[in-house]
Amino acid sequence: MNPYLAGVLLGVVLLMAMYISGRGLGASGGIKYCVVSLVGTLDRNHAENSVYYSKYFENGRKPLKNWLTVEIFGILAGGFFSGALSKRIKFRIEKSPKISNRRRLIFAFLGGVFFVYGAQLARGCTSGAALSGMAVLSVAGFLTMIAIFGSAYLFAWFFRKNWI
Amino acid sequence: MEIRKKISVILLILGILLAILPLSSSRSLFVNPSKLLSEVLNPNVYFTVDQTAKFIVNEDTTVRIIDLRSNEEFRKICLPGAINIPYNSFIKSDPGLYLNDKSKRNIFYSNGDFYSNYALVYARGLDYRNSYVMSGGLNEWFRMVMESKFSGERISARENSLFEIRTRAGKLFTQINTLPDSLKGKFMVSARFASRKLDGGCE
Amino acid sequence: MGPLSSSFIFPEWLDLLFAFIIGTGFGFALEQAGFSSSRKLAGMFYGYDTTVIKVFFTAAIVALIGSQLLSFFGILNMNQVFVNELYIGPAIIGGVIMGAGFIMGGFCPGTGLCALSIGKIDAMVFAAGGITGAFLFAETYPFIRKLADSGYKGPVKINESIGISSGLFTLLLIIAAVLMFWIAELAEKRFARQEITDEIGS
Amino acid sequence: MEIFKQFRLFFVIFILILCAVFYRSFSNSIFRYDAAKMALPSLQGENIITEEQIPGMMDKALIIDIGCSDSVLVKSVKNINKISPDSILDKKYTRKLLKHEGPIILLSSDNSTSAKIWMLLSQKGIRNIYILSYEKEFEALKYTLKADSLSMP
């Protein structure tokens, strides 16, 4: 789809989220809730004593029954549906031909670690903080957006071999 | 024409429209005016001071008594359990932040009848139907509850219960308002109403 | 008047159903934009593909215009819409860490999940990394708690801190975006990598 | 012309939006935009006047009696419009109020009614409305707390 049209579509979805629930979109929050829930099932004791996890279990709250968690299952469904529609579903590793599969996967893993760690610190990722934040004109949204793109441009030179 | 130019033109036109529109952070009343008029003129938007006194004595949790006077006045004298939202900030901030708990009836009062009735129209115009007024305000409260004396030969059962409530409410009122300032401050902090936190973000 | 969640109290299942529907729309839009490809996303930083900035800004501006028009007509109460709270330090530091993660992994969490759903193995590894990242954050939280709560300024709006109306700010943002779109398309020609573009397209 | 053809759909939508904007901004049958601004005079009581101020405003003022006023002034002033509060939003009255230049004075023996009508009319975009108050001080607490009120029967 043309990027501008896809942008309009994404904007309409964001607007719908604002109208229905008074909140923006988000992805990293859902990942966090999955982790919290996982830790809660594996080691309940640890979860209840930790300063971080305990607030998600207050008053018998269930981290899986949460707007953000359900939303990421929606993302998976929507992505799959769109991929099926455009015939893009296929198991594969996408990478530059100049690097090995192993290198690509190691960097993908590291990227995931960094991205979600940073997102927890900034209270939102590109969708939760930058996109939704910009759509309500919050300073936090603009600041996070500038920081993400600025730093990615800054580091781009070091990782150029991975991509071009 | 290529799509980039097209979308640029469309966005710019809409942007100019937005820049011209008077988009301040506030809003307007949106209930139909005639409907609002008949709604606020209906006497059932009033609670008498006796009804309010009963709510206070019974510690009724389905009502929330909102004091619209300034913070200084509130600190000096207030109804037991009242929440202070000065009329200024009621109008200037979004009343929805205070009123959107629909399970409770909000009863406005001020010293007289002006602020409370302005607030009533304003709140009901924003479709907060759970808004009411304590008719007569604090002046009426003093007149009815604090200074009423029974004068007559015999007392009927109804009058008796009415006077009992008045006496108990009056006692509570005096107790709270004669507390030393330090204690009173503590009490008010605990009664202060926190505006609702909005859901959102990735927290 | 919207948001619906503040006018009506939704039962939990309905609230979650809406979450799922919105999420589906979100995933669909991201995938249709082509964000399930890491090389397309990374193209933003090497100039050969600037889809990211086009989609990102168009989406933010459409939502901005829409929400302000709705609020003008009394359909949406913007005071009831969540505004992200500003923590200056964490926003910048977190943003820098995210930028590094972006260029290493080639995804952000939303697009990563999208790519995962159509079977990209690198995206699955990215998601595993993300889970690890969230776990690491939770475990290191006691040590960085001070940093994470520093510089709190509340939910500040950018137009209010500059002192102009939100409509005017939107217009300025649109002008900036239009210029960026133009530069982006010039860059795409200047840094074109035909072989990569062909491969992504397939 | 070529350009207009390309933007046909957009122009149709845009004109619809524009019509809605005009309706929202200028229609008399709905409340005006920016409720807080319209309510500003009520914050400090600038909209409350006392009887002494009336003679100075007399020549241009439109005096409206919205409920059994029995002030001396009411008997002495001739051109009083008696309107019952329920019908104040009737078209003929609102048109008159909107057209009137100069102050509009609301009379009522019940402060709550005048306060309500004031807020309603102001939100409809009618400026310069005043409420005549018979009390010397506006929104003042007339009583003080007596410590001995604890000893009620």
Side-chain angles (χ1 to χ4, degrees), chain A:
Chain A
M1 196 191 264
N2 180 288
Y4 298 107
L5 293 182
V8 172
L9 181 66
L10 185 56
V12 171
V13 172
L14 178 51
L15 188 58
M16 260 172 61
M18 282 159 83
Y19 181 71
I20 292 176
S21 73
R23 63 202 299 167
L25 302 168
S28 59
I31 296 178
K32 175 186 71 186
Y33 275 101
C34 289
V35 170
V36 169
S37 155
L38 198 66
V39 172
T41 10
L42 291 180
D43 190 349
R44 191 63 195 226
N45 223 353
H46 176 60
E48 266 163 16
N49 294 327
S50 142
V51 260
Y52 185 78
Y53 295 116
S54 56
K55 62 185 172 202
Y56 299 103
F57 291 101
E58 273 170 7
N59 320 321
R61 279 166 64 190
K62 292 199 179 68
L64 273 185
K65 273 195 175 179
N66 180 289
W67 170 277
L68 291 164
T69 324
V70 176
E71 191 181 1
I72 66 167
F73 289 111
I75 295 178
L76 293 177
F80 183 79
F81 177 60
S82 158
L85 208 68
S86 311
K87 301 198 175 58
R88 275 196 284 257
I89 295 179
K90 193 178 163 194
F91 279 102
R92 68 188 183 105
I93 299 174
E94 191 189 18
K95 61 171 183 64
S96 164
K98 289 173 201 158
I99 58 170
S100 66
N101 279 351
R102 218 178 101 160
R103 185 180 160 118
R104 168 71 189 123
L105 293 184
I106 289 172
F107 273 102
F109 184 82
L110 279 178
V113 173
F114 273 73
F115 213 124
V116 177
Y117 193 93
Q120 298 312 312
L121 198 56
R123 293 167 171 77
C125 57
T126 18
S127 23
L131 180 61
S132 309
M134 276 173 69
V136 290
L137 294 176
S138 83
V139 179
F142 282 89
L143 204 59
T144 314
M145 188 267 297
I146 292 169
I148 294 175
F149 284 94
S151 105
Y153 271 109
L154 213 65
F155 293 123
W157 189 79
F158 299 103
F159 298 100
R160 65 190 183 285
K161 283 224 181 75
N162 285 3
W163 304 106
I164 54 175

Side-chain angles (χ1 to χ4, degrees), chain B residues 53-99:
Chain B
K54 203 168 173 183
F55 289 138
I56 291 173
V57 169
N58 295 340
E59 294 181 12
D60 194 324
T61 51
T62 63
V63 298
R64 221 160 37 179
I65 300 173
I66 294 177
D67 186 318
L68 292 164
R69 301 166 312 147
S70 68
N71 194 258
E72 295 95 77
E73 285 176 288
F74 179 73
R75 285 184 169 277
K76 232 184 267 165
I77 240 168
C78 67
L79 291 187
I83 299 152
N84 183 218
I85 305 171
Y87 181 65
N88 269 14
S89 40
F90 178 83
I91 293 288
K92 286 185 177 164
S93 65
D94 179 9
L97 294 174
Y98 312 112
L99 305 179

Side-chain angles (χ1 to χ4, degrees), chain B residues 22 26-28 40 87 114-115, chain D residues 24 33-35 43 116 139:
Chain B
S26 48
R27 69 259 109 217
S28 66
V40 294
Y87 181 65
F114 286 110
Y115 286 153
Chain D
R24 182 77 199 79
Y33 190 73
D34 207 346
L43 293 188
K116 284 186 239 182
E139 282 279 329

